[in-house]
Structures are given as structure tokens and as C-alpha cells.
Amino acid sequence: MTAREIAAAVRTGARSARSVLEEHFARIDVREAELHAFNYLMREQAFGAADAIDSAVARGEDPGCLAGVPVAVKDNFCTRGVPTTCSSKILEGWTPPYDSTAVARLHAAGAVLVGKTNLDEFAMGSSTENSAFGPTRNPHDPSRVPGGSSGGSAVAVAAGFSAIAYGSDTGGSIRQPAALCGVVGVKPTYGSVSRYGLVAFASSLDQIGPFAVDVGDAALALEAVWGYDPMDSTSLDATMDSLSDSLDRGVAGLRVGIVRELTEVDGIAPEVQARVAAAAEALSAAGAKVDYVSVPSVSYGLSAYYLIAPAEASSNLARYDGVRYGRRDAGADVATMNSATRDAGFGAEVKRRIMLGTYALSAGYYDSYYGKAQKVRTLIIQDFARAYEQFDVLLTPTAPTVAFEFGSKTADPLAMYLSDVCTIPTNLAGHCAISVPYGTAEPTSGATLTSDGNPKQLPIGVQVLAPALGEATMFRVAKAIEASAP
Amino acid sequence: MTAHEVSRGYEIVVGLEVHCELATNTKLFCGCANQFGSEPNTNICPVCLGLPGSLPVLNERAVEFALRVGEAFNFDVPERSVFHRKNYFYPDMPKNFQTSQYDEPICSEGTLDVDGVTIRITRAHLEEDTGKSTHVGGDGGRIHGADHSLIDYNRAGVPLLEIVSEPDIRSAEQAARYVEELRATLLAIGVSDVKMEEGSMRVDANVSVRLVGATEFGKRCEVKNMNSIRSVRRAVAYEAERQIDLITSGERIMQETRHWNEDDGRTHSMRSKEEAFDYRYFPEPDLVPVEPTAEMRSLVRSQMPELPAAKRERLIDAWAITEHDARVIVDVPGLAEYAEAAVAVLGGGTPKDIVNWLTGDFLGFLNETGTKLDDSNLRPAGLAELVGMVVGGSISRNQGKDVMADALRSGEAPVAIVAARGIAQVSDAGALSGVLEVVFAANVDALDAYRSGDDKMKKKKRGFLMGEAMKATKGDGNPQLLNQLLDQMLEAL
Amino acid sequence: MPEVPAPLTRADVMHVAQLARLAITESEAELFTEQLAVILDHANDVASLDIDSVVPTAHPLPLVNAFRKDEVRPSVDRDEVLRTAPDALDHRFRVPKILGDS
Ligand SMILES: [Mg+2]
Ligand SMILES: [Zn+2]
């Protein structure tokens, strides 16, 4: 059942929210122990919320557009009274005294929160292997990663633990795991969903977005949480075009550009390139004008991102010092206590990025690193602006490869960082993008065999990019791609 | 000489950094009350506690207040100003960075005239205050030797305006006067309480010395912890002499931060743990730039009150009062308005008479009794009435003083007090003649000198005799009548 | 073409760890020096770009003047916050002694 179907059934009283929730928890009970999508399950609260929705319906009230829809949120969304850890030992046991705006809107829309999903610690990673509480596994092949950092949310949707889920995307953390797990993932325009209550990784890049089984649910899920929030200074006070209304308008006449620098280059697996080409052909067959386009400066995106994001993170994560909340390790004076706490509380990848970011901002290096990266950001925005003079949307792969095996990239941070090469430019520009599942392929190496002896097929996603506030058109194209998916 | 002080061939060079807390209702980036003296940790929220996920939103009024300061000190208000993060660890600071302005402040290049000398102000920028630690254990609440500290975040996030002067100040007195002028202006434009004792205005001084005529600056020391204007004056003077002592005895000045100790009257080096400072400023990504619009600026302009310097000049001209009196009248909050109200209903005498009565006994009474101007029992109309009676001669000056004291204590109208107590000048010619006769009898020498002296001597002795007569009436004698009778009796000699 | 910064040294790593209040061990310092050098070497494609005249972008969207009215909002419950604090006393957060100055 899609989220649309669930909400419709619950709103009319055809289904009870409780029975919907029972089905989802039944699936959780079977597979969660193996997959580890969640850091915290809100079983009790969820059934309480479901019953409240059922009573509201019985009283003739409308609980909202997500009535009774089981929803999972990444464990970096603040939830009042519910543990919020960011998969870090430094926040273990902390319960926020407030709800993030996104969570408050979900409650208001009648959604039922089932739990907080696993992530790479503080959203730093592309495989969900960097969680202090153990990795999440890919439901299509549990010997492989689900992608990351929002791996738990991707898996929750892919495994049917929740109808929709939310994550945060700083350099691809929604789209890449969506691609690797075979679900839809959206990184909306920067500022369209409030970041209030989302634990910051890199503030100028972070954005909340949904995971869903199909494009229609993704539209519903995004519409439930977006819109202006006075608590977030970077929130856009703009009217958003309705997504659900325009989804089925087709792509005839739309201009689609395949980004050369992110598609037909080394490092993008041939099977992935093939799926992008197939999606392009399908769009062309549906009436879109498809051509190649060059966005030269995106080649510098990865380097710029790995200076900007760690720099902002080094500052954002300074507050975890053992003074006000979370973990404290003993030290004779405050500075020693701070260092001991941070040493024991942060994992290796988080420390690596704090070090990198501190260095990129430090005296004598700012201009060469952080300052330069900000200028590259300008160039990328300018190049995209030129591309969007000729094209309505752009097309690229979401991730360079299918899901990879555990441990295959953990020793080499740079190799891991390359997982985000196609998704990062969107964050740097503040634009929107969506990953849509488009067929499967077997991995080039180490394929797991199915019971009948064939190599296991793994999902591939293609990515549609659009300029700021271009979501309506982007979703139309995504819907057309989905319609032609094998 | 106050403006340029030279000691042993060295001149003092001072730049001042003044932090003043803005008198907004709420903090700079959240809706918590900006309130001094609340119970610990009661004005806190996710934002000012730096809880994970919280985000700042800029207080509109803090910007408005900064723009007022921009107007008051002739600042340039750039088209855009930007908040940066200043990164360093300190437990008072919830995020371990201070959100502040860096290379794009809201106000740049202003000026302040201090006794006819223009001091350039480099910049004024908005930033957030820190929380407050109480050091427990060890030596009387001092940070050194304490075994732990307790933190209250009520002050964390309170808006500060940091006003940084150029090193244009050349004496301790001028430094004190700069702070006085700055404080009076900030108070007049209503942006801050500027209470140095409560910490709502904090002054740091960068002090160096150099040989007169040198163009390079000497090594400077930053002096902190001055809690009054008097301590600014003393601390700067001490620090300059300390540096001159060092240089003249062949030693070098170490660039450092020094702590002013009010009790021993010295500055002390703040022993700090060896720690690298590298603030790693970068633009605050959670805030957007401020671009004051024409509407915002013209609204601020229309709300600007008359500034103290202008008001002083106007009163000196209009009322023929001294610079000193004008300063007293303008610097005491509300006193100028009080004086103007009294002058408006003046029933005799001059504005200068009003000012004399105000700066004398009236302020003396308020200070002695700790009464606030607004709470004083004698209102402007009552004062005008009182001055009218004295100038008109129905009561004497000394009687006026008694009546004022009575009115301030009881709240009764001066006329009512005069009527009820039957106070009046002695205007009985018989009684006054009697007084003069006694005075004449007691001062035969003076009368002889009067008789034989030239005009100058005559005038002098006449004045003396008049004074003695007033003294004999305890000031209650009607001076006009007394003068008249004295002349008659002198002529009759 | 702008010069790229000198390669990162172990001393840089120790200095940065101090700035960031990370108590790293000898072996971590070794590993970080190696790994960060690789990442920074990759970043040198950006550091070496000759783009002095380009205006930096700090923020992806050209927003300005996001203000809040100066109106008091309720504070959070002090006890709720202090309950989750590592150490508290007399309604305040307690920390070990503070060395150095502010
Ligand atoms: Mg400052
Ligand atoms: Zn607050």
C-alpha cells in the first residue's frame, strides 16, 4: 500500500491507523534485527498516535494529509522526549526538549512516527557504516551497504518498515541511499523545508527530504513538511507549486540535458551509464527534447564540498563539549574534560572531518581552501544557470556504482567520498534533485548469488536535477521516468 | 591638559573597545527575555543554549538600535552587513563559537567629539553575549584556584554592540571623557542602560606609549575589568606610567591582556594557559545578510532624539548657563526635560536661576536620599513657583532652600508650605533699621574707612556692611529694602 | 597560477587537534596526517585555481533581512534541560575548573 492509499483509507475510515501500523510492525519484527534500520523504535508512542487518529476519524475529524501513515525519521531530527543520537556516542541518552519543525508538521499532518533511523554519525558518510551503534544493511543484499548517510531511512522504506521516511541530504545523503536501496529520494531546494531541529552537519548545504516507494508518495511526503518557517532564517518565504497536481502532466516539450561531466566519465560504472542512457531514451520517447550539456565546474564540486562541509561541521560540532548535554568524560579542568569527551564521543570519520574543516579555516589556509571552495561554489552556480537557459531539467546518475560491500571503502576516505560525486553539485548550488529507481544490475565484482545460482541484481537510480524551486517540473520528469522503468 | 598628556617625554596612545548590552526585550537570536537579575537559567531556550538543531533568527529591534547608534556617531551604514562565527572554546559560550560581525559590520567609520577633539570610531558591530560563570571554592570566587564553576546561561545571547575606537585618545582623562560622552549618547538614544556596575556597559582599553614625535605605535596592552569611569581614568593612567617605567628602565613591553584591580590600583598580567588563538572566522551560514532598507533608515532617523552635545549647546545659548552646568543638566537622565518644563512655566527669574537651583540643592537631595528624578516630590511647576518667590523677594534664598527641602520630603507645593509656615522675608523698615544700627555700632572702623575713602573704598565698605546686615537677619531680610535703608543711613553719616 | 599550500605536517595535525579540542593519540595523529594529506592533495585542484576575481558564495540563496519581532517567547523548562545535563548544581550547569581567561 502506498502512503497515498493509506491516508485515503484512514481518512475515510476504510482502514484503521492501528491495523496499518500493525502490518508495518509485523515486517519490522521479522527483519529489523538483521537490517538494523532503526536506532530507536517508538512502538508505544506509535500505537498511541494511531489510536488517537482512529478516534479523530470516528469523531468525524480529518487528521490530515498523512493520516495514519507510518513514518520513520532520521535520528538527527530532534524529537521531544525521544532519544536523538545522530548515531553518536556523544549524544547517547540525550532527549531533546523540543520537536524539529519537520516532526511537528508530521504530527500535525496525522503521520504516525514509528522510529528514529540509523545514519552515519552526524550524517558524515555514504554507507551508514559510521554509526556508533552498528551498520544498517541493504535489504536487497545484506552483505552490502544501503548507502548513506540516511541509510536507515532508505532501508525503512525499502523493507516496508514505514510507508515513507525522511532524511537529510548534505551532499547526497538522501539520493545516494535511495538509489542503492531502490526507492525514490528527494533533496528539495535549499530553504524549502525548515532545518529547525535538524541537527546540523553543514548548515549551508543541509536539507531535509523524503524517501518513498514511488514518485507520487514522494510528492505527498514533501508537501507535508515544506513551507516557510520563521524559526529558520534560511527558510524560503515563497509559494511552492503543487507537486501532486502537476505530476501527471507528462514531459512533452520539456528539455532534458544529460550532464556530460557526471555521466560519461571514469568512475561511473558502465551498468550505471547504461541505465541513464535508457532513461534518456524513454524521456525522448515520451516527447522530451534530450541532449548533452556541459557543466564544466562540477568537476571541482567534490573538492569544494570536502572543504566547505567539514569547515562548517567543525564549527557546528564544537558544541559537543560535555558541558550542557550528552556525554561527559572526566577531566581535571574544562579544557581537558572537553577533549576527553570529544575524543571518546566522536568516531574516526567525524574526527577526521572536524580536523579537516578546522585546518581549512585556520589562519594561513582560509584563502587557499575554504575561501577558494566558496568561489568554486559561485562558478558551479553560474555554470548551472547557463545550463538551465537551455534545459528545464538535467539528468545524471545518482551514484557511480550499485551498492558496495561492507568495509570495501572504509580504509580509504577519498574512495568513499567519490560515492557522492554526482549528488554534491546540487547541494553546493542550493538546487533540488530527485533519485528515481531505474532498473537493476549485477555488481561488477563479488556478486552474491541467489538460491537459483544467478548473481543478485541490485538497484540503480537516475537523478533528475532542477534549479531552485523547480520541484514541480522535476517531479513531472521523475514521474515519466518511473512510468518507463523496467 | 586633558587632551594630550605627556609624561617623561612619552605620550599615551589609547583605543577603547566598548561593549554595551542593547536594551531589547529579547535576546539577539531568540525570544528569551533579555533581563538582568532573573533566577539562574530561566531565560533559556534551545537557541541560546546551543542545543543541537536550533537555529538563530535575528532580532529586528537590535538592528534598529544599531542603526540609531549609526546615526548618533556619524557612522557609515554599509549596504550590507554579515554575521560571522568566531570559533573558540569557552564553557560560557553554548555553541563554542560567538556569532559576531567581522569584516562587514553594521556601522563603520564614525566619530565622537570629546571636548572639541574628534575621536574616530572604527566600527560598531552586533554580537551575542556569553553566559556567566560563578567560580566555586578557592579564593573568594576568583577563577584561579576555584575547584569548579557553575554556569547560568541567562545572559547568553543577549545583544551586544561592540564600539571600537581608533587609537586617537591621548590621555587618561580623555579616555574617561570619551566613555562619558559615549555613555550619555547611548542613554539619550535609548539603546542601552549603560550601567557599568551591572556590566551592561564594559570597557576595554588598548594602551601603549611612545616618544613624543614618534610615528610608530608602541606595543600595546589590553586592560580589562574597569567597572566605572573613574576606574577607566585610573587604570589608563596607571598602565601608561607602568609602561613608561619599563621602557625607561630598559625593559620591553609584552603585548598581553592585563586585569585592572580597583583595590590596589594596579593592572595585573592575566596568567593564561598556553593556548593558541585562531578564531577561524567564517560567514554564519544559519543567518542571512542584513541590508538596511531606505525605509528602515528613515524611520530610525525620524525617531532620533536630540543628542547630548547638541542639547548642551542649545541650552548654553538659550539659557546663558555655563558649559559645566549644561553638562550636569544633560548628563543626568531626564534632568534637561525637567529643567525645560520648569522654564516653560517660569513665574519670575531666569532659566539660569532654575538651573542653579537644580544643580545645587535639588540634585544634592536626590543623591543623598537615592531618589530617582521621576520619583521626586517636587515637580517642575513647583520648582518654578519656588524660584519665582525667591526672585520676587517674598521669601529669602535661605528660606527658599528650607522650602525646597520640605517640598522634596513632603510633596507639598512650595506656596502651600510658605503659607502654612508663615515664612516671609523681614520687610519691616523699623526692624531692619534696628539691625543696621547694631551693625554700624559693631563696625566703627569700617564706617571710618567709608567716610574717608575714595569711591572704590566706599563701594567696598558698603558691600561689607550690607553683608554683615544680611548675616544679622540670617538671610531673611528683604535685600531691596535693606539696601535702601543702608544708603539712607550712609548718606546721613 | 596560485601556489598550493605546503603539505600538511604532523605538527599541523597536533595544532589543529588542539584548536578543535580533540585529544588524539600518537597513532591517530599518524593516521590523520596520512589521510588528511591525501584529501588535501585532492583539494589542491581547487586551491590551485586562478579565480581571485570570483565572488565567494557563502550561501546558496540570495536571501537578506530575515528578522524576528522583539517579542518574548516562553523559555524551556529549566528542570527538563538540567535533567539531561552531565552535571548540575543549584539550577546551574557544573563544570570542572576553568583555566585561562575568556
Ligand atoms: Mg567582541
Ligand atoms: Zn533563548
Side-chain angles (χ1 to χ4, degrees):
Chain A
M1 249 179 134
T2 63
R4 305 193 291 295
E5 291 161 351
I6 293 169
V10 170
R11 281 168 118 167
T12 56
R15 280 290 303 268
S16 72
R18 172 168 273 270
S19 71
V20 170
L21 190 62
E22 278 166 350
E23 279 178 14
H24 285 79
F25 267 107
R27 286 193 286 269
I28 289 172
D29 290 339
V30 171
R31 272 199 102 181
E32 167 61 8
E34 176 198 13
L35 299 179
H36 187 219
F38 291 99
N39 282 340
Y40 186 83
L41 278 169
M42 298 165 65
R43 198 181 292 261
E44 218 174 289
Q45 297 99 314
F47 278 103
D51 291 344
I53 285 158
D54 289 334
S55 322
V57 173
R59 284 193 304 269
E61 293 163 20
D62 180 1
C65 65
L66 292 179
V69 174
V71 169
V73 296
K74 193 175 179 177
D75 199 17
N76 58 353
F77 286 44
C78 284
T79 40
R80 180 162 190 182
V82 174
T84 299
T85 68
C86 298
S87 290
S88 180
K89 282 189 280 184
I90 211 155
L91 275 178
E92 200 168 359
W94 181 61
T95 54
Y98 76 110
D99 273 331
S100 58
T101 298
V103 164
R105 289 188 181 179
L106 288 172
H107 286 309
V112 175
L113 262 62
V114 298
K116 308 287 297 284
T117 60
N118 198 12
L119 62 148
D120 287 298
E121 185 177 359
F122 284 103
M124 296 178 186
S126 308
S127 65
T128 318
E129 287 168 288
N130 296 332
S131 168
F133 310 124
T136 297
R137 297 180 176 276
N138 193 314
H140 297 273
D141 179 352
S143 71
R144 290 175 182 264
V145 302
S149 65
S150 313
S153 287
V155 171
V157 171
F161 297 166
S162 65
I164 54 177
Y166 293 85
S168 62
D169 188 316
T170 306
S173 280
I174 292 173
R175 292 159 287 161
Q176 184 257 14
L180 269 49
C181 292
V183 297
V184 175
V186 187
K187 200 297 272 189
T189 301
Y190 185 84
S192 63
V193 182
S194 170
R195 292 184 296 117
Y196 190 74
L198 170 70
V199 180
F201 160 16
S203 310
S204 77
L205 303 162
D206 294 343
Q207 191 57 196
I208 285 175
F211 291 88
V213 292
D214 65 14
V215 172
D217 271 7
L220 173 70
L222 178 53
E223 287 177 330
V225 295
W226 76 0
Y228 177 67
D229 178 13
M231 298 298 281
D232 176 356
S233 305
T234 64
S235 174
L236 280 173
D237 196 357
T239 348
M240 316 288 193
D241 294 331
S242 164
L243 303 177
S244 311
D245 294 351
S246 61
L247 270 185
D248 297 316
R249 284 172 47 200
V251 294
L254 288 182
R255 301 160 303 167
V256 178
I258 305 169
V259 181
R260 210 170 245 135
E261 288 81 0
L262 298 177
T263 306
E264 296 184 341
V265 289
D266 278 357
I268 310 289
E271 62 271 21
V272 173
Q273 291 182 2
R275 299 320 303 158
V276 173
E281 254 170 59
L283 287 173
S284 180
K289 285 180 231 160
V290 183
D291 204 347
Y292 281 92
V293 62
S294 182
V295 188
S297 56
V298 298
S299 310
Y300 297 107
L302 191 73
S303 292
Y305 175 86
Y306 277 99
L307 294 169
I308 292 169
E312 292 183 9
S314 71
S315 173
N316 282 330
L317 270 62
R319 70 191 64 195
Y320 306 104
D321 60 359
V323 173
R324 291 158 299 276
Y325 42 80
R327 179 192 183 104
R328 174 184 293 185
D329 288 79
D333 59 82
V334 164
T336 313
M337 179 277 280
N338 293 157
S339 301
T341 302
R342 291 163 66 77
D343 185 51
F346 290 140
E349 181 62 22
V350 171
K351 286 187 201 169
R352 193 151 44 229
R353 296 207 197 181
I354 290 175
M355 299 278 294
L356 182 60
T358 303
Y359 187 65
L361 287 173
S362 65
Y365 298 98
Y366 183 97
D367 291 338
S368 298
Y369 291 131
Y370 187 74
K372 236 7 156 1
Q374 284 196 324
K375 292 181 176 185
V376 167
R377 210 168 170 177
T378 307
L379 297 179
I380 289 175
I381 290 171
Q382 288 170 350
D383 279 0
F384 270 128
R386 268 190 289 276
Y388 286 123
E389 282 168 16
Q390 297 168 55
F391 296 95
D392 297 299
V393 297
L394 303 178
L395 191 67
T396 75
T398 306
T401 64
V402 295
F404 45 91
E405 294 160 286
F406 283 100
S408 62
K409 296 183 183 182
T410 42
D412 181 358
L414 193 57
M416 184 72 89
Y417 295 173
L418 283 163
S419 308
D420 297 327
V421 68
C422 300
T423 46
I424 278 169
T426 296
N427 300 78
L428 289 170
H431 294 169
C432 56
I434 185 170
S435 177
V436 185
Y438 205 71
T440 58
E442 61 193 69
T444 30
S445 73
T448 309
L449 300 183
T450 59
S451 49
D452 49 16
N454 296 318
K456 256 190 185 162
Q457 296 289 307
L458 294 167
I460 288 174
V462 297
Q463 185 180 214
V464 182
L465 276 54
L469 296 175
E471 272 89 350
T473 308
M474 179 180 90
F475 268 82
R476 275 166 66 192
V477 176
K479 184 74 198 270
I481 291 174
E482 179 180 73
S484 72
Chain B
M1 189 145 106
T2 61
H4 193 168
E5 195 176 335
V6 175
S7 169
R8 287 175 274 169
Y10 288 84
E11 67 173 358
I12 306 179
V13 175
V14 183
L16 294 173
E17 282 175 28
V18 176
H19 285 82
C20 81
E21 284 182 359
L22 297 179
T24 51
N25 297 324
T26 63
K27 295 185 180 183
L28 187 55
F29 299 121
C30 65
C32 290
N34 169 13
Q35 204 167 54
F36 182 80
S38 301
E39 273 285 291
N41 291 310
T42 49
N43 300 329
I44 55 170
C45 75
V47 178
C48 57
L49 265 183
L51 294 189
S54 64
L55 295 172
V57 185
L58 181 57
N59 184 340
E60 189 174 41
R61 196 182 316 256
V63 173
E64 186 191 314
F65 282 5
L67 294 177
R68 276 194 212 172
V69 170
E71 290 296 325
F73 300 104
N74 316 303
F75 275 108
D76 271 354
V77 174
E79 250 170 62
R80 141 182 301 228
S81 63
V82 174
F83 283 94
H84 275 64
R85 291 184 182 179
K86 180 181 183 181
N87 294 284
Y88 63 100
F89 279 82
Y90 204 75
D92 284 357
M93 205 168 51
K95 297 164 291 181
N96 286 320
F97 60 78
Q98 182 192 31
T99 304
S100 178
Q101 295 186 314
Y102 178 52
D103 53 359
E104 295 179 82
I106 188 149
C107 297
S108 67
E109 295 182 29
T111 58
L112 175 59
D113 283 345
V114 178
D115 306 321
V117 178
T118 299
I119 307 297
R120 290 170 301 159
I121 310 180
T122 318
R123 56 190 281 146
H125 70 252
L126 285 165
E127 62 183 28
E128 56 182 342
D129 208 344
T130 61
K132 239 177 175 169
S133 303
T134 308
H135 308 296
V136 184
D139 174 21
R142 297 276 302 279
I143 190 165
H144 296 298
D147 58 39
H148 64 266
S149 299
L150 299 174
I151 311 176
D152 169 12
Y153 290 106
N154 280 345
R155 201 182 65 182
V158 161
L160 291 177
L161 195 72
E162 181 176 337
I163 303 170
V164 184
S165 86
E166 291 287 314
D168 283 354
I169 295 166
R170 291 291 176 272
S171 74
E173 178 58 24
Q174 197 179 35
R177 290 279 308 116
Y178 170 92
V179 177
E180 267 175 2
E181 285 292 329
L182 194 72
R183 188 162 79 158
T185 306
L186 293 172
L187 196 63
I189 62 177
V191 302
S192 176
D193 299 340
V194 288
K195 288 183 182 152
M196 288 183 79
E197 335 71 71
E198 282 183 10
S200 68
M201 179 166 171
R202 306 194 278 274
V203 179
D204 301 336
N206 286 304
V207 181
S208 64
V209 297
R210 62 179 172 189
L211 277 172
V212 172
T215 48
E216 302 244 310
F217 291 120
K219 271 254 162 58
R220 65 188 153 87
C221 292
E222 186 177 9
V223 182
K224 287 181 178 288
N225 193 43
M226 296 165 291
N227 295 323
S228 65
I229 287 175
R230 180 169 170 266
S231 49
V232 170
R233 188 184 291 113
R234 292 177 68 206
V236 170
Y238 172 84
E239 177 60 20
E241 287 302 313
R242 186 189 71 86
Q243 293 184 13
I244 298 169
D245 283 348
L246 278 179
I247 296 172
T248 51
S249 60
E251 288 179 66
R252 290 176 141 207
I253 311 291
M254 280 239 302
Q255 184 159 339
E256 61 178 348
T257 300
R258 298 181 67 84
H259 199 83
W260 167 248
N261 184 325
E262 191 69 48
D263 297 333
D264 67 8
R266 295 157 183 258
T267 63
H268 297 267
S269 180
M270 294 169 82
R271 283 176 302 116
S272 70
K273 191 169 167 261
E274 270 313 304
E275 190 156 11
F277 278 101
D278 178 350
Y279 294 127
R280 289 159 282 134
Y281 280 100
F282 75 101
E284 164 60 278
D286 288 327
L287 290 168
V288 301
V290 176
E291 293 187 357
T293 60
E295 291 75 26
M296 287 163 77
R297 298 210 52 199
S298 68
L299 182 70
V300 163
R301 253 180 238 126
S302 73
Q303 292 168 339
M304 286 299 283
E306 185 178 30
L307 297 180
K311 185 174 285 180
R312 281 199 303 266
E313 246 172 70
R314 179 168 62 80
L315 296 184
I316 290 169
D317 278 2
W319 294 355
I321 57 175
T322 63
E323 167 85 31
H324 176 266
D325 283 348
R327 187 172 300 287
V328 174
I329 291 286
V330 170
D331 281 1
V332 176
L335 194 59
E337 290 70 25
Y338 186 105
E340 285 179 311
V343 167
V345 294
L346 201 58
T350 61
K352 191 170 164 48
D353 293 322
I354 294 285
V355 169
N356 287 341
W357 281 90
L358 279 176
T359 56
D361 283 28
F362 183 81
L363 272 190
F365 178 88
L366 295 192
N367 288 341
E368 266 164 43
T369 54
T371 312
K372 281 198 199 124
L373 179 62
D374 284 349
D375 302 338
S376 94
N377 278 325
L378 180 61
R379 304 314 308 159
L383 176 68
E385 203 175 279
L386 177 72
V387 170
M389 287 190 285
V390 174
V391 175
S394 62
I395 60 171
S396 72
R397 217 182 129 69
N398 275 354
Q399 288 168 334
K401 289 185 174 197
D402 286 344
V403 173
M404 177 182 270
D406 198 343
L408 281 165
R409 270 190 301 271
S410 69
E412 299 209 32
V415 265
I417 295 169
V418 167
R421 286 178 32 188
I423 302 171
Q425 288 198 122
V426 180
S427 298
D428 174 345
L432 290 178
S433 299
V435 168
L436 284 170
E437 271 158 28
V438 173
V439 169
F440 275 30
N443 293 285
V444 180
D445 293 353
L447 285 173
D448 285 346
Y450 178 88
R451 238 179 317 230
S452 57
D454 56 8
D455 279 3
K456 201 171 156 200
M457 179 56 76
K458 278 196 161 56
K459 198 174 172 194
K460 189 174 162 198
K461 291 301 162 187
R462 186 192 176 286
F464 168 76
L465 292 166
M466 181 65 192
E468 289 298 294
M470 278 307 277
K471 230 187 273 172
T473 65
K474 298 196 178 80
D476 291 352
N478 179 330
Q480 275 135 359
L481 187 53
L482 208 48
N483 267 314
Q484 208 182 315
L485 292 169
L486 178 61
D487 284 342
Q488 284 169 14
M489 288 173 68
L490 285 173
E491 244 167 71
L493 278 174
Chain C
M1 195 172 252
E3 260 180 61
V4 301
L8 173 100
T9 65
R10 205 189 135 90
D12 293 331
V13 166
M14 297 311 290
H15 172 69
V16 164
Q18 196 198 7
L19 281 177
R21 295 247 162 123
L22 287 170
I24 60 170
T25 61
E26 289 292 305
S27 61
E28 274 177 314
E30 205 72 51
L31 185 67
F32 282 148
T33 308
E34 215 173 281
Q35 290 177 330
L36 297 184
V38 172
I39 298 163
L40 287 168
D41 185 54
H42 187 266
N44 280 338
D45 65 346
V46 160
S48 64
L49 283 175
D50 194 359
I51 49 174
D52 277 359
S53 58
V54 176
V55 179
T57 295
H59 205 276
L61 302 175
L63 299 172
V64 296
N65 293 349
F67 297 133
R68 174 179 62 76
K69 289 248 171 296
D70 186 26
E71 286 161 8
V72 177
R73 290 168 56 97
S75 292
V76 293
D77 179 37
R78 171 171 75 180
D79 296 334
E80 185 177 353
V81 171
L82 289 171
R83 227 182 359 254
T84 59
D87 193 10
L89 184 72
D90 293 339
H91 306 299
R92 284 167 294 179
F93 296 82
R94 177 154 66 169
V95 295
K97 64 173 174 256
I98 302 170
L99 300 179
D101 56 78
S102 50

